Amino acid sequence: MIRDPQSFDAFLTSLRRFVRDKLVPREDEVARNDEVPQDLVAAMAEQHMFGYSIPEAYGGLGMSTEELVLAAMELSQCSVAFRARVGTNTGIGSEALVADGTPEQRERYLPRLASGELTGSLAMTEPDAGSEATAMRTSARRDGDHYILNGTKCFITNAPIADVFTVLARTDPDSTGARGISAFLVERAFPGVSTGKPYQKMGQAGSPVSEVHFQDARVPVSALIGGEEGVGFKTAMKVLNKQRIHLAALCTGPAIRMLEDAMRFVAERRQFGKPLMDFQLIQAMIADCQTEIQAARALILQTARERDEGKDVALSASMCKYFASEMCGRVADRCVQMFGGYGYIADYGIERFYRDVRLFRLYEGTSQIHQLNIARLTLTAAGYQPGR
Ligand SMILES: Cc1cc2nc3c(=O)[nH]c(=O)nc-3n(C[C@H](O)[C@H](O)[C@H](O)COP(=O)(O)OP(=O)(O)OC[C@H]3O[C@@H](n4cnc5c(N)ncnc54)[C@H](O)[C@@H]3O)c2cc1C
């Protein structure tokens, strides 16, 4: 659903210009310094990028899912670090509050997340609970007006710079699986909360990721999201269901950009007396990239519209994430191939994209986990009862 097509078109045009004129020229600097500079963070905040999906009542742009994915496909046509800087606020770092927060919790955090004053993040994964997220062991024990949290979360995007963490922890020590898990909004400033050294990663320089530690961390009872124990995993699933569509769009933007860069290269570079673009085997790679990009775009837009209509999109959201992240990997590989030896050299930028996009197939559900989910939902819809 696009609320006002004319003004949304103007918004997308201006976003495209911002990405091309302000962000793309600074990509090398971000990669070199492993940081998005403060002036660009401020510029992105001015563009309301931190609050795309936060309701207007709390200072965000209140985008529908369709609007969000269209904006994401534009914003992500530049180095992944830029959208990762704002992406937790307008995705996994605010959505639990949007979905299930109490009015007081929303009032307290959402306006500052929307403006970019606070950086949010989602702390769910643990060293022994990755794909099997329900194996998490971080505990939250009630102690008067507080919960005492103990445990370690790993691989948390933006943790080194985050002010608030959406944390999943076990309030019922005897529970197993999804039951007994609760969600909290934990401030970095709470006693007992700390973050580890940023990881050295394969790619996405400028997007800091680290562990988060809770050592007898004292978290006020008012930080329990929705004020209800035991429903945290349901909240997390709501967050991730929407995020799968969002992330799929964020996989599509880099693919569009890589293909554009590759086409510019093959139009200029000559071998055997002709531009590379004249060779049919090069054209086949362009055709495969373009077809897959458009297929992802169509699936994402259809799913976003269905979500806006209130339909259950659990299956198609999973297909979006699986297809778009795998598609992006295949596009990256073909584009490096089109660059030939230059594709392996850092000066050309395409190798950075190649490394950056590798992560898409790993986080927010690996491709294998999505395959299992898609198969299970498809079999179930057909009346079968697959074993787990
Ligand atoms: C840079 C980065 C940023 C991240 N950001 C966040 C974040 O902000 N917040 C957060 O909470 N988490 C985050 N994550 C964690 C991410 O979601 C997990 O890494 C992911 O869910 C996979 O878990 P794992 O790494 O423990 O792999 P594992 O679960 O150990 O999987 C290893 C391999 O086994 C496969 N596998 C596992 N189970 C099955 C199965 N049943 N059938 C078939 N194959 C299977 C997987 O597909 C994978 O190939 C991030 C990770 C990275 C690397």
Side-chain angles (χ1 to χ4, degrees), residues 36 47 98 125 133 149 157 174 191 210 223 252 265 284 317 366:
V36 178
Q47 300 280 321
V98 173
T125 305
L149 265 62
T157 300
D174 301 324
S210 75
T252 306
F265 183 85
T366 64

Side-chain angles (χ1 to χ4, degrees), residues 143-198:
D143 178 27
D145 288 343
H146 286 80
Y147 285 92
I148 310 297
L149 265 62
N150 278 291
T152 293
K153 299 289 180 179
C154 63
F155 299 143
I156 307 306
T157 300
N158 281 341
I161 54 169
D163 304 286
V164 283
F165 304 91
T166 301
V167 179
L168 280 298
R170 218 168 260 292
T171 35
D172 177 355
D174 301 324
S175 66
T176 51
R179 277 177 301 115
I181 293 174
S182 304
F184 297 88
L185 231 285
V186 177
E187 297 184 18
R188 172 185 288 279
F190 289 165
V193 179
S194 63
T195 54
K197 234 174 89 184

